[in-house]
């Protein structure tokens, strides 16, 4: 079995519908990943165990999706110097604005990269992870160029 290069974490099983878009993109690009539910608030020890062992397991980038007072990405960043990509999720009655602010407002010294709220953010998180990995993997870089070419062609083929 290939060791995962990307770890996708989410705060709850209820986040899976939004976060599966990230997994789909990684599969499309042939990037091995693992995906787990780990909560900053509900499973603090297990979340810390996961992130502390991530680098030694070959993981190079972490993606964290969470809603409400979304502290998952910040918690991961507190324990690792791996790049952390956050997806604020629209789980609460504030529709993700709460998660966005909780995620994006990291204090100086401990950054996380924050994507769009919700499903679009999950897709972009995977693409951003692939962009990071592609710096040391030209084949992946070529796949990204091809992905954008197809996107461009699809748009230009639209006839109204
Ligand atoms: C957050 O609380 C999770 O990331 C999820 O978005 C939200 C709700 O979780 P559940 O109550 O559905 O488990 O921590």
């Amino acid at each position: 079995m290939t060791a995962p290069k990307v770890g996708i974490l989410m705060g709850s099983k209820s986040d899976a519908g939004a976060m599966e878009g990230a997994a789909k993109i990684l599969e499309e690009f042939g990037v091995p990943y693992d995906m787990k539910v780990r909560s900053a608030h509900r499973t603090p020890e297990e979340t810390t165990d996961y992130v502390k062992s991530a680098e030694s397991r070959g993981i190079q980038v972490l993606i964290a999706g969470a809603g409400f007072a979304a502290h998952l990405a910040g918690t991961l960043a507190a324990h690792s110097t791996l790049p952390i990509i956050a997806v604020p999720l629209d789980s609460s009655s504030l529709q993700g604005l709460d998660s966005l602010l909780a995620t994006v407002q990291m204090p100086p010294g401990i950054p996380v990269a924050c994507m769009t709220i919700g499903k679009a953010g999950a897709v972009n998180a995977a693409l951003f992870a692939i962009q990071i990995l592609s710096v040391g993997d030209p084949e992946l870089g070529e796949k990204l160029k091809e992905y954008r070419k197809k996107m461009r062609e699809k748009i230009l083929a639209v006839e109204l």
Side-chain angles (χ1 to χ4, degrees):
M1 206 175 81
T2 323
K5 288 187 180 167
V6 176
I8 304 174
L9 297 184
M10 62 199 84
S12 166
K13 194 179 172 196
S14 64
D15 298 327
M19 294 308 293
E20 68 191 10
K24 216 171 140 208
I25 293 282
L26 293 173
E27 275 164 31
E28 196 178 322
F29 280 81
V31 174
Y33 67 92
D34 73 2
M35 185 149 81
K36 306 259 181 232
V37 176
R38 292 287 184 277
S39 163
H41 306 121
R42 293 165 173 167
T43 64
E45 282 95 7
E46 292 80 1
T47 301
T48 306
D49 290 348
Y50 181 96
V51 65
K52 281 187 172 173
S53 65
E55 200 171 340
S56 64
R57 288 185 287 115
I59 287 179
Q60 297 177 37
V61 185
L62 287 161
I63 294 173
F68 283 76
H71 295 139
L72 184 57
T75 299
L76 301 182
H79 291 290
S80 177
T81 53
L82 291 175
I84 312 293
I85 308 172
V87 184
L89 296 176
D90 46 343
S91 331
S92 80
S93 44
L94 295 182
Q95 296 172 326
L97 186 58
D98 45 356
S99 326
L100 173 68
L101 294 176
T103 301
V104 81
Q105 283 290 66
M106 286 298 286
I110 309 290
V112 304
C114 183
M115 302 289 114
T116 319
I117 296 170
K119 284 185 179 181
V123 168
N124 277 353
L127 289 169
F128 199 52
I130 293 165
Q131 286 178 227
I132 292 168
L133 295 173
S134 75
V135 173
D137 184 340
E139 204 179 310
L140 211 46
E142 285 309 310
K143 284 185 186 172
L144 274 168
K145 288 187 180 84
E146 188 59 28
Y147 178 86
R148 290 205 178 182
K149 189 171 161 249
K150 279 192 188 145
M151 199 161 46
R152 177 172 167 266
E153 284 168 357
K154 206 171 150 193
I155 288 167
L156 294 176
V158 173
E159 286 188 30
L160 302 172

